Amino acid sequence: MMRSLHNDVLISIRNEEQKAGMRYIHIIEESFQMTVFLKDLLGKVRKKVLKEGFKNEPDEIFFFKKVKPNILGKLIYYNKIYRIETACPVNNGKIYLKYFNRELEDLKLKFKRQICSSDFYQYYRSGRTDRDCDYFILGNLKIHNGLNSFAFDIDPEFSTFYDYKVAQIIANELLHDYLLAKTETDIHSNFPGKLEELEWTESKNALIELIYALHVSGALSNGKGGIRKITRAFESFLNIQLGDLHHAFHRMKQRVGSRTMYLDKLKISLDNYMDKDL
């Protein structure tokens, strides 16, 4: 049941992200929209869990290790974007860049102090499962381990405390990529005209397919530019946020039929256009 719920949750979030668009020019409105959606989704999932419960311990562990953190992590992420963007300077000058540089440094510092040095972070990142019953089963908090006081204020029916820790890790990684893109040299200054007039009107997956094709073919910087750097350039240039690039690419690899649907479409479109001149 939980794996099915997990798939439904991921599809629901992805569909809402595509609907929101997450373009930089409307980031405040769209991050608020995602925050409201994810808060409602978390509430619905909570009601479902409290009503139906868990079939067994593996089911419970999977929920608190995978399902809930994916919702809560994105909720923390979009809410943080909304708070950052509503407080930032309005122009794109030095004050603007300094603001996002400071946010990025604060994030790195908090991550270093509160997360990456912890035993749990090392456990989670290593992919271990031997202590999952301690971390992802309700009512198993060990007070003698010296918990953060926040642990005593959690919902005992819907949190193991460590599901929140996983959500923090997910949110911080997403936020790090977002802030890193913001602190890059303002790419808009290198192009004439108003870039906000350019809009990507195909699907995000189509753009991701194109980006990977350009990267692996060595078309940009002889293949040494790095997929993240290329992605940030496209995101900034086209006022779009692509989200989890690697997860999207993994799904493309599992496609039935052609795995390069958009590149196939480009070839057909160009061939047809060339034929018109004959």
Side-chain angles (χ1 to χ4, degrees):
M1 182 187 82
M2 285 305 152
R3 293 186 183 276
S4 176
L5 176 61
H6 190 221
N7 289 335
D8 290 343
V9 162
L10 294 179
I11 291 171
S12 181
I13 293 174
R14 184 168 67 247
N15 289 343
E16 192 66 22
E17 286 177 329
Q18 290 176 345
K19 188 192 303 182
M22 294 310 295
R23 294 168 296 174
Y24 286 120
I25 53 174
H26 301 303
I27 194 65
I28 292 176
E29 176 186 341
E30 289 158 354
S31 58
F32 178 76
Q33 178 183 331
M34 286 303 304
T35 300
V36 172
F37 167 77
L38 289 161
K39 181 178 179 295
D40 290 344
L41 179 62
L42 189 62
K44 291 175 183 176
V45 170
R46 181 182 185 277
K47 288 180 181 179
K48 181 179 178 66
V49 166
L50 294 183
K51 180 181 179 181
E52 301 178 8
F54 303 105
K55 289 167 45 179
N56 47 45
E57 280 195 352
D59 217 32
E60 185 173 351
I61 288 169
F62 186 82
F63 177 80
F64 287 113
K65 191 174 185 178
K66 298 287 186 180
V67 183
K68 185 185 173 187
N70 270 302
I71 305 172
L72 184 57
K74 284 287 185 82
L75 175 57
I76 295 170
Y77 166 63
Y78 283 114
N79 183 56
K80 184 63 176 177
I81 287 181
Y82 177 77
R83 290 168 58 193
I84 289 173
E85 291 288 348
T86 52
C88 80
V90 294
N91 62 25
N92 287 329
K94 291 182 179 179
I95 297 177
Y96 180 87
L97 291 176
K98 186 177 180 180
Y99 172 82
F100 283 102
N101 270 305
R102 186 171 64 249
E103 289 290 337
L104 181 60
E105 290 307 312
D106 286 347
L107 178 70
K108 289 178 180 178
L109 186 60
K110 289 176 182 176
F111 186 74
K112 185 176 180 180
R113 286 179 177 175
Q114 301 174 11
I115 299 179
C116 69
S117 60
S118 69
D119 291 338
F120 174 75
Y121 180 79
Q122 295 169 22
Y123 172 86
Y124 176 75
R125 272 287 169 243
S126 67
R128 287 167 53 190
T129 59
D130 53 291
R131 294 191 61 190
D132 279 1
C133 287
D134 293 329
Y135 291 134
F136 303 111
I137 293 289
L138 291 171
N140 280 359
L141 279 177
K142 303 294 189 298
I143 297 177
H144 62 265
N145 287 345
L147 296 170
N148 188 299
S149 297
F150 167 77
F152 303 110
D153 195 37
I154 64 172
D155 183 345
E157 295 182 303
F158 193 62
S159 181
T160 70
F161 175 65
Y162 290 98
D163 57 273
Y164 176 75
K165 290 284 190 181
V166 177
Q168 275 189 312
I169 293 169
I170 293 171
N172 278 338
E173 290 180 347
L174 290 170
L175 191 58
H176 177 269
D177 287 347
Y178 180 82
L179 292 174
L180 198 61
K182 282 288 193 174
T183 56
E184 291 286 308
T185 302
D186 189 11
I187 193 171
H188 289 193
S189 63
N190 297 325
F191 296 91
K194 295 182 178 180
L195 291 184
E196 58 267 26
E197 294 175 0
L198 293 177
E199 181 180 1
W200 181 259
T201 53
E202 267 284 1
S203 70
K204 290 185 179 182
N205 279 345
L207 183 55
I208 291 171
E209 189 178 320
L210 178 61
I211 288 171
Y212 266 96
L214 291 171
H215 173 59
V216 299
S217 67
L220 299 172
S221 302
N222 295 313
K224 298 178 182 178
I227 195 71
R228 286 185 180 274
K229 188 173 182 180
I230 296 170
T231 302
R232 289 198 297 270
F234 271 92
E235 286 180 326
S236 183
F237 180 71
L238 295 171
N239 296 307
I240 190 172
Q241 189 175 26
L242 293 174
D244 190 341
L245 204 75
H246 299 294
H247 184 64
F249 183 68
H250 179 73
R251 291 198 306 271
M252 291 177 196
K253 290 165 65 177
Q254 309 303 319
R255 283 174 177 167
V256 177
S258 175
R259 296 187 296 179
T260 55
M261 294 167 53
Y262 183 59
L263 297 182
D264 296 343
K265 179 181 177 180
L266 285 180
K267 182 179 183 303
I268 293 170
S269 297
L270 185 57
D271 277 337
N272 290 339
Y273 182 77
M274 288 176 171
D275 289 342
K276 290 179 181 180
D277 294 333
L278 296 177

